[in-house]
Amino acid sequence: MSVSEITLAEGKAANRRGAEFRRGLAAATPMLLGIIPYALVLGAQAAQRGLSVLEVPLMTGLNFAGGSEFAAIQLWTSPPHILLIAAITLLVNSRHFLMGAALAPFIRHLPKRQVFPALFLMCDESWAVGLADAQRRAAAGARPAFSLAFYLGAGLAVYLAWVAFTTCGAALGPVLGDVETYGFAMAFPAVFLVLLRGMWKGFAAARPWLVSLAVAALTYLLVPGACYVAAGALSGLVAAWFLAGET
């Protein structure tokens, strides 16, 4: 192959990656309508707990997981109970073990220098969008099924919006007062329901979801703390294992 042919092939590959990246951005854009108000709530609550405008983006940028950040802010005191906050963060983020396991078959061909940044950007939204796209591509016969550029486009859009608007919430928190009165907290459940709808494959496939929901709800009502997250995740995994042969 000549130098010109190599250059042309590399140019086409770069164009494909660019198109996939833009497709990921487009896929993530509707979700930002739900993420932005939720981020403002977290930033405002963090500021009201004593975190500065510089400390909030450090927290949300380094621990990119909204649920555990809300839990940490609720437990925040001066001085903070570091071990308790770390334990609750691990518990709330335990669902990422299952999310990563579901994504693993689609990314195992990638080198670690690409896998680790991709996993850092893995949150509920980017995971759901990336996994659903990989499943659609696999069903259509695309190889590889997982589009890293698409996933990075979606993940970076969510990440940058999250960090930027939690920072805005921290800056506006003293002005807004109690932001929960605005009803912004409903944004995240709404986004999550939309993500579930996009992954719906019928009632039979959804039975592990229902088991997870029931166990998590009962644990939330009966057991204090954030144990309901791990209980829901583990029960869903066990249900999926036992029901796998029936679907």
Side-chain angles (χ1 to χ4, degrees):
M1 182 179 290
S2 66
V3 174
S4 60
E5 290 174 332
I6 293 174
T7 303
L8 181 61
E10 290 176 346
K12 289 181 178 179
N15 289 336
R16 284 195 299 270
R17 288 193 296 268
E20 285 293 289
F21 185 84
R22 291 189 295 273
R23 189 169 67 87
L25 287 175
T29 299
M31 295 187 296
L32 300 185
L33 298 176
I35 291 170
I36 288 171
Y38 200 57
L40 291 172
V41 171
L42 177 61
Q45 289 183 348
Q48 291 162 4
R49 290 281 182 164
L51 274 69
S52 71
V53 178
L54 293 178
E55 290 169 336
V56 169
L58 283 175
M59 178 186 72
T60 58
L62 295 176
N63 176 39
F64 181 43
S68 63
E69 290 164 354
F70 270 98
I73 289 302
Q74 296 302 318
L75 296 171
W76 195 267
T77 57
S78 184
H81 299 288
I82 299 298
L83 292 179
L84 175 61
I85 292 174
I88 293 298
T89 298
L90 177 62
L91 189 60
V92 174
N93 286 346
S94 61
R95 68 191 189 282
H96 287 211
F97 290 119
L98 299 181
M99 292 161 60
L103 203 59
F106 295 101
I107 62 175
R108 62 180 53 180
H109 66 285
L110 297 173
K112 291 182 179 179
R113 69 177 185 277
Q114 294 179 347
V115 169
F116 290 150
L119 292 179
F120 176 76
L121 292 173
M122 187 180 71
C123 62
D124 297 317
E125 293 81 5
S126 62
W127 170 81
V129 170
L131 181 62
D133 182 71
Q135 291 172 338
R136 284 193 297 267
R137 286 168 56 90
R143 294 292 181 273
F146 182 78
S147 173
L148 180 62
F150 171 87
Y151 176 86
L152 292 178
L156 281 174
V158 175
Y159 178 81
L160 293 176
W162 182 251
V163 175
F165 283 95
T166 51
T167 305
C168 291
L172 298 174
V175 178
L176 295 175
D178 185 6
V179 292
E180 292 188 359
T181 59
Y182 298 105
F184 286 167
M186 284 300 298
F188 183 73
V191 170
F192 189 69
L193 289 173
V194 171
L195 293 176
L196 288 180
R197 178 63 185 88
M199 301 179 72
W200 181 262
K201 294 183 178 179
F203 179 78
R207 286 178 295 173
W209 297 2
L210 299 177
V211 171
S212 179
L213 173 63
V215 172
L218 288 173
T219 306
Y220 177 80
L221 293 174
L222 300 175
V223 181
C227 294
Y228 63 93
V229 177
L234 291 175
S235 61
L237 180 63
V238 172
W241 175 270
F242 280 106
L243 295 171
E246 302 179 17
T247 57

